[in-house]
Amino acid sequence: TGSPFVRDAELTATVDNLRRSLPIAAIGAFVLLLVTMRSIRYSLVTVVPIGLVVIWLYAIMELAGFALNFVSATIGALSIGVGIDYSIHMTERFREELKRNPSRVTAIKRASRGTGVALLASAASSIVGFVILGFAPMPMFASYGQLTAVMIFLALIASLIILPCLLMLVTKDSDAAGNQLEKPEGAYGTNR
């Protein structure tokens, strides 16, 4: 017994919990999106970029030589929580613009100009804050700040580059407002 064995047992338990919590978080996010968006395709493409963020983040951790500890082990679940927010904003804005614009290309451009700029500003302020934490004197907190800053950057990239491509793939031009069939007069009440 002793401190090294206790720490090893604690880290092993944390990593095991992480392996269980990541799929649960992803499935939970998908189910919640499915209920609120009422669309399998939009729910799925909103979650996929966040899965990529988790993969990219752990790959960067491996390549950069970050040790897996209690703090860094939780970064994957945290990236789902933070990243899904960015993806939801972009998907919902795209769906709103799709109702107002004649084509999906116009809708994605307007969504990117509007929500994309807001996401960029939000991510930039968060990244700066966590980069500052990256200079903490305690190595565990410093690595947490650095990894969280990287994670937020990756979530932003996934939401602004990967997600729009996926949205274009799953959306047909006929879904845009200008290409929908005209409703017959009086079919749904009074026309305006």
Side-chain angles (χ1 to χ4, degrees):
T1 64
S3 182
F5 294 105
V6 171
R7 280 195 301 256
D8 182 55
E10 289 174 343
L11 183 60
T12 302
T14 302
V15 171
D16 288 343
N17 285 334
L18 172 69
R19 287 186 183 128
R20 282 191 296 265
S21 69
L22 276 176
I24 291 170
I27 291 168
F30 173 74
V31 169
L32 184 62
L33 288 172
L34 187 59
V35 168
T36 57
M37 290 184 176
R38 297 185 193 118
S39 169
I40 291 175
R41 65 182 170 164
Y42 287 124
S43 300
L44 190 60
V45 299
T46 302
V47 171
V48 166
I50 304 313
L52 292 174
V53 169
V54 173
I55 293 167
W56 294 339
L57 186 62
Y58 281 115
I60 288 170
M61 285 175 61
E62 179 68 27
L63 293 172
F66 280 94
L68 197 61
N69 56 39
F70 300 115
V71 176
S72 63
T74 61
I75 200 83
L78 182 67
S79 63
I80 291 175
V82 171
I84 200 72
D85 189 38
Y86 291 168
S87 290
I88 289 170
H89 285 300
M90 183 57 83
T91 301
E92 282 303 306
R93 180 63 186 266
F94 172 72
R95 290 176 73 185
E96 287 174 12
E97 292 295 337
L98 197 61
K99 292 175 187 173
R100 296 184 211 143
N101 290 286
S103 73
R104 61 190 174 136
V105 174
T106 306
I108 202 72
K109 284 180 184 177
R110 290 198 175 169
S112 296
R113 281 190 210 123
T115 299
V117 172
L119 292 179
L120 184 63
S122 173
S125 66
S126 297
I127 288 170
V128 168
F130 282 105
V131 164
I132 291 169
L133 180 62
F135 292 108
M138 292 182 64
M140 190 180 299
F141 292 118
S143 66
Y144 179 74
Q146 294 162 0
L147 288 173
T148 304
V150 170
M151 178 267 297
I152 292 169
F153 175 75
L154 293 174
L156 178 70
I157 295 301
S159 296
L160 295 181
I161 296 174
I162 305 296
L163 182 57
C165 295
L166 292 174
L167 289 169
M168 293 296 287
L169 281 174
V170 300
T171 306
K172 300 174 284 218
D173 268 330
S174 61
D175 293 338
N179 294 322
Q180 293 176 351
L181 295 174
E182 292 291 323
K183 296 177 191 171
E185 288 206 26
Y188 299 105
T190 59
N191 284 341
R192 296 179 188 170

